[in-house]
Amino acid sequence: MEEGEKMGVIPLIPFLNRKPGKLPVESIQIVLEELRKKEHNAFISIYFAGNLEWLDKNKSSFLVMWRRPEEWGKLIYQWVSRSGQNNSVFTLYELTNGEDTENEEFHGLDEATLLRALQALQQEHKAEIITVSDGRGVKFF
């Protein structure tokens, strides 16, 4: 991932190098699985725990997230509360591309990650994903 990117998909194939001294696939998958776990352990900083998600059952491709969806949701909800936007409805576009959010970390967030963040807020009863005239939206409580 490059600086400023919020998420990136990484195929496992480039890591696979069978030359002597290189890790076998199984070892790489163990390391990546540790990154995927949400609980903190002694070897992985709490800042990276849970920031990896496998995209297939074979564990050949994975998603690396700068922040977990719950963390994005928290940032979004902090902005909503701070700006007095509770009980307001926003389109997904307004949240990530609107002028009001230009200085927020979640500005420019891709829609898939945004939806996951909003789903996390919905589970906490802080938001509800709704259908609006021009697509999907969200109401914050």
Side-chain angles (χ1 to χ4, degrees):
M1 290 186 344
E2 294 183 27
E3 186 176 341
E5 287 187 70
K6 297 171 174 69
M7 180 179 72
V9 175
I10 301 174
L12 189 56
I13 301 303
F15 291 100
L16 306 179
N17 190 335
R18 303 222 185 268
K19 293 181 183 176
K22 301 294 180 180
L23 287 174
V25 175
E26 296 78 19
S27 298
I28 294 170
Q29 288 177 334
I30 289 169
V31 170
L32 294 172
E33 186 63 23
E34 285 300 312
L35 284 172
R36 184 199 61 79
K37 292 180 181 177
K38 290 185 180 169
E39 65 271 0
H40 174 68
N41 68 46
F43 301 107
I44 304 218
S45 167
I46 194 165
Y47 297 107
F48 295 107
N51 289 30
L52 181 140
E53 182 180 299
W54 293 110
L55 295 176
D56 60 2
K57 291 181 182 181
N58 296 331
K59 296 183 178 181
S60 63
S61 186
F62 55 93
L63 174 70
V64 176
M65 299 172 279
W66 181 251
R67 296 182 189 275
R68 293 185 301 270
E70 299 82 8
E71 294 171 316
W72 285 118
K74 183 178 179 180
L75 286 174
I76 293 167
Y77 196 75
Q78 287 172 343
W79 172 78
V80 167
S81 298
R82 192 175 61 245
S83 61
Q85 303 284 350
N86 295 79
N87 297 313
S88 296
V89 174
F90 293 92
T91 64
L92 301 187
Y93 181 85
E94 288 174 314
L95 276 179
T96 58
N97 297 290
E99 290 179 19
D100 293 341
T101 64
E102 282 181 345
N103 295 322
E104 302 300 321
E105 287 187 63
F106 58 86
H107 188 83
L109 193 63
D110 65 283
E111 187 173 316
T113 304
L114 175 62
L115 280 170
R116 294 178 70 199
L118 296 175
Q119 288 166 347
L121 288 174
Q122 190 166 271
Q123 288 178 345
E124 296 176 22
H125 306 287
K126 294 181 176 179
E128 181 182 359
I129 300 169
I130 59 173
T131 301
V132 293
S133 61
D134 54 348
R136 287 189 268 195
V138 59
K139 179 174 182 173
F140 293 99
F141 304 111

